[in-house]
Structures are given as C-alpha cells and as structure tokens.
Amino acid sequence: MTHQYDFLVIGSGIAGLSYATKLARHFESNGEPVSIAVITKVQADETNTKYAQGGIAAVWSKEDSFDKHIDDTIDAGDGVNKRHIVEIVVREAPERIQELIDYGTRFDRHGNEYDLAREGGHSDHRILHFKDITGAEIERALLEEVQRHPSISIFTHFFAVDLITQHHLGETVYRYREDIRCFGAYVLNTRTGQVEKFLAKTTMLATGGIGNIYQSTTNPTIATGDGIAMAYRAKGICDNLEFIQFHPTSLYQPGKKPSFLISEAVRGFGGILKNADGSTFMENYDPRLSLAPRDITARAIDSEMKRNGTDHVYLDVRDADYDRFLEHFPNITQHCLDIGIDVRRDMIPVVPAQHYLCGGIRVNEWGQTNIHFLYAAGECSCTGLHGANRLASNSLLEAVVFGHRAYLGTIENLKDAYIPDNVPDWDDSGTTHPEEQVLVTEMTRELNSIMSNYVGIVRTNRRLRRAYERVELLYREHEQLYRESKVSVPISELRNMINVSYLVIKMAMSRRENVGLHYNLDNIKA
Ligand SMILES: Cc1cc2nc3c(=O)[nH]c(=O)nc-3n(C[C@H](O)[C@H](O)[C@H](O)COP(=O)(O)OP(=O)(O)OC[C@H]3O[C@@H](n4cnc5c(N)ncnc54)[C@H](O)[C@@H]3O)c2cc1C
C-alpha cells in the first residue's frame, strides 16, 4: 500500500506534534491545501514527553535574564555546547512556551504569576511546570491542538522501519555524498503486519531517545533509538552519542522497566541525598551538595554505592513541609505510597538510571540533517544546545524551539522538493516469520547487559573495547536473522538498538578527554 503526503512526521511527542501543528497552521491560515501524516509506533501519547515531570525551562521572571540561562546551559554542557544555538533556544523560549499556553497547556500558578521552580544547575527560578506531570499536560494539549487541524492524520501503531532515499532507486549512497534526498519511509502497519510506503516531500524524525539500550532507564519502552538508527543507515551524520545522561535519582525497584523517576525538583525542594546510615555524602563531591548537576550527582552516587557495596542510596524529604510536598509532587508521593514508602516517615531509595541522550542526528539551526528534505528535532537530534551534558528542563524546550525552526526551514526549502514515481514497494520475498522469538529476547538482554556494565556512568578503555567486540558479534548474528525474517517490531527495534549502541561505543572510544557526561578512568591516568 502506498500513502502520499506533503509531510511525514515520525513521532508524536513534543517535537513531532509541535512541528506538525506549525505546518498545519501555516497552510490552513493561507487557505492552501496540505496533508500531514504523523505516525507513531504505539498509541499517540506513549512518548517520553508524557513522562516528563519537572517542567520546561525559560526566562520568565524579571529577576532572571537570558544571559544567566545561557551561562547555566553552557556551564552544564562543559563548554561543548554551540553557543549560537544556546542563544537561539534561550531567547526563543518564552515565545514558544506562550504558544504551548495558547494551545491550552496549563502551568501551575501562584495568583497571577507562574510558579517557577528551580532545579539542579539553574541559577534562578525558571522552570514552568504542571504539578509533577508537566510532560503529560503538554502532550495532552498538543494532541488536542492536532485534533483541531483536519490536515493532520495520525497513524497509531505504525512503525517506521527505514527511510527512503536514492538507495531505494538503485543508486549508490555513501555517507558524505552531498545530494542524498529523503522521500519518506517504509512503515510497518503493526496491525496487518504489512510494510507500507509513506512517500512525502519532507520527512521529520522526532523519534525520541535510546534508553532501552540499557538495563535501567526512565524512558518508556518506545525509546529504542529508531530515528537515529534509520538516519545512520540512510547515511545521516550523528554527533555526541557518548554523552548519555543518567538520572541520579530513579526509584530503586529492581527489574522494573521503565524506572520511576524521582524528579530533580525534589532535590530543588530540599530533598537530601543520604547513605543507608543517614549520613550525607554530597559534601565530598561538590559544593552545591544535593543541587549539584546530574552528572556529578550520578557519579557521586555510583561511587558511594561501590564504596559501601550497596545497590542504592536514599533521598530524604522527611523534613519537608508535607502539605506543600504533596501539592508539588502528588504523583511521586502516591507512587511511593503504592510500594509502601511514606515520604513523611521513610527515606526514598534511589539509584541512577539512563535518562537522556544529549547527542543524536546532526542538524543545523533549522533542524535540517545532512540528508536533504530530512529534518530531526527533539531528543533524537543533536543541535549543539546541550553540549556534553543537558541542563535540567532544557530538553522539552529544545524540542519545541526546534519543532518551530524546522517548520520554518521546511517552508523555506519546499519549492525544491519532489516525490519520485519509481520508489519500489517493500520487498520481503524469501523471508519467513522467525520461529524462535527467544533469540531476539536473549540478544536484547545481552545488549542491555553489555551497555550497562561497560558503557555506563564510569567507563574504561578495556570495558569499551569489550563492549565494542561483543556488540559487533551481536550485530553480525542479528543481521543474519534480519535478512531471513519478515520484519517485526522486536526484530527492528533490536536492529536499531544494536546500531545505536555501536555508535555510542565508537564515539565513547574516540573521546580522549573527560568532559561532561563522558567519564573514562583511563583518561584521568593518561
Ligand atoms: C521520566 C522522564 C522525565 C523527564 N522529565 C523532563 C523534564 O522535566 N523536563 C524536560 O525538559 N525533559 C524531561 N525529560 C526528557 C523529555 O521528556 C524528552 O527529551 C522529550 O519529551 C523528547 O521528546 P521527543 O518529541 O523528542 O520524543 P518523544 O516524546 O519520546 O516521542 C517519540 C515519538 O516517536 C515515536 N517513534 C519512535 N520510534 C518510532 C518508529 N520507529 N516508528 C514510529 N514512531 C516512532 C514514538 O512512538 C513517540 O511517538 C524527561 C524524560 C523522562 C523519560
């Protein structure tokens, strides 16, 4: 089956929906016909966006300034950030957030003023939030806004398998060829099992993060790096994949996926990190104590756990004003209660878990990748905003700013776009349904273990080399299986996770200095 749209958007989180909405508004307000397909691999709201708790950062109060937000972002990013991108994002933030409000997003208020929270690494109060479910509120408002635009069609349970480029027209496409073009994607309709062709003048990758390459992650199961892997296979260029953020405080619940996040804002609210015996330890690592940036805090916890032989530490909020705590963190309070932790009496057991990818598909300031008519925004992209480490609450912001900028870039370049009429249908002749699903399950488990043990918070050259060799072996085994099999979501996701893990390891191996989130013990000795 062939679908033809003006625009194909892969992903229904904040990045994809912001972009689709902007395009729809643009054409509808000009009275021009337009067709936009948004595809999403499960239900529309099952996104990383929905799980965001803390909020979205912007300079909103008179006491704050763009310069302070810019400095904080670059400070957190260890100077690896692209300064002009940081300036763009910080300065455009209030306008984009006002648009979210106009779409119907609610943020908490004190009277007429927004209640601005302060999180680790921020020098001022600038986090707009809705209780501790900010992401769910933004996702709700954006999905409602999308419903108001008849030009947008949402395809749920459609899984993008591969991007369509000249390669599918029989040409040789190599990575640094300058005229690679994207014409859409092959997409698996997961209800029928058929791969359908989605042709489009412009394609947007807004596929989110990669958390599930690790054993513990706060990301939902959709986060398997599909967009990055698809772009890389289509000869897209990726950057900074070694910079993986581990959230210092996910709730300690062994075997639970995704890990439940105890928001950064809890530390901003006065939560104190402690060992089991009630002793504090952050004073040994950073003068900002429990408000230190995430990478320092995660390494400190990792080090305390190794030193004490424990598998978690604690976050203590027992001295906090309970009523105010409950008002700010109803979801966290309830979640803890559900597993028998009463935050008035008990310390919360916490452990670091993979949380966010700072790198991704390289894009310019208009969200364009090196492949013509292929854009990327949100967590799967690398704009240069975060540098070597993301400042808390800057990721929803980046996604909404770049959803907008990619829309401007798309409109600007549209006149040269076309859809060829000779794109072949998906060819799966000679393949069968694999009889042994256990192979995929086991390979995924193996990959998770390799990445968590060797490519986690603290790395060494030997661990990285080991990871590289093992992932290469997995790659070869999986390619064989993939070639012989009818395409399915588990097989494709594993293929993508192997591709992305390979990139993470390669980039970690070639980074010779410790900067931001990349921490290799051998770089200290060298
Ligand atoms: C627990 C948690 C808390 C967080 N808290 C904050 C916070 O307070 N502030 C902040 O700024 N950031 C926060 N983040 C990070 C932030 O939520 C994400 O970076 C952001 O939401 C990513 O948005 P996105 O649009 O790029 O991707 P997502 O929201 O993850 O959307 C990805 C979309 O792509 C689709 N997709 C993926 N692969 C395919 C495929 N192959 N085919 C079809 N569709 C596909 C998915 O179905 C989904 O619709 C948090 C993240 C987590 C997990």
Side-chain angles (χ1 to χ4, degrees), residues 111-132:
N112 288 333
E113 302 293 328
Y114 283 110
D115 175 34
L116 302 172
R118 183 176 167 195
E119 293 184 333
H122 286 273
S123 59
D124 217 315
H125 290 257
R126 62 169 77 101
I127 317 297
L128 289 109
H129 61 97
F130 180 69
K131 308 195 187 305
D132 55 354

Side-chain angles (χ1 to χ4, degrees), residues 10-17 39-44 46-57 119 127 134 139 158-161 187 206-209 218-220 222-227 230 259 261 263 294 355-356 377-380 390-397 399 496:
I10 307 177
S12 58
I14 184 171
L17 295 182
I39 67 164
T40 172
K41 64 178 168 177
V42 281
Q43 61 273 29
E46 186 56 4
T47 58
N48 271 11
T49 301
K50 185 175 92 173
Y51 292 87
Q53 296 180 348
I56 183 164
E119 293 184 333
I127 317 297
T134 310
E139 183 73 23
F158 275 70
F159 180 93
V161 178
V187 180
T207 49
T218 61
N219 294 186
I222 55 113
T224 50
D226 300 347
M230 280 191 281
S259 305
L261 184 70
S263 160
R294 285 179 184 174
H355 185 54
Y356 184 78
E379 192 166 338
C380 70
R390 170 189 71 133
L391 182 66
S393 290
N394 264 359
S395 43
L396 290 171
L397 176 61
N496 294 333

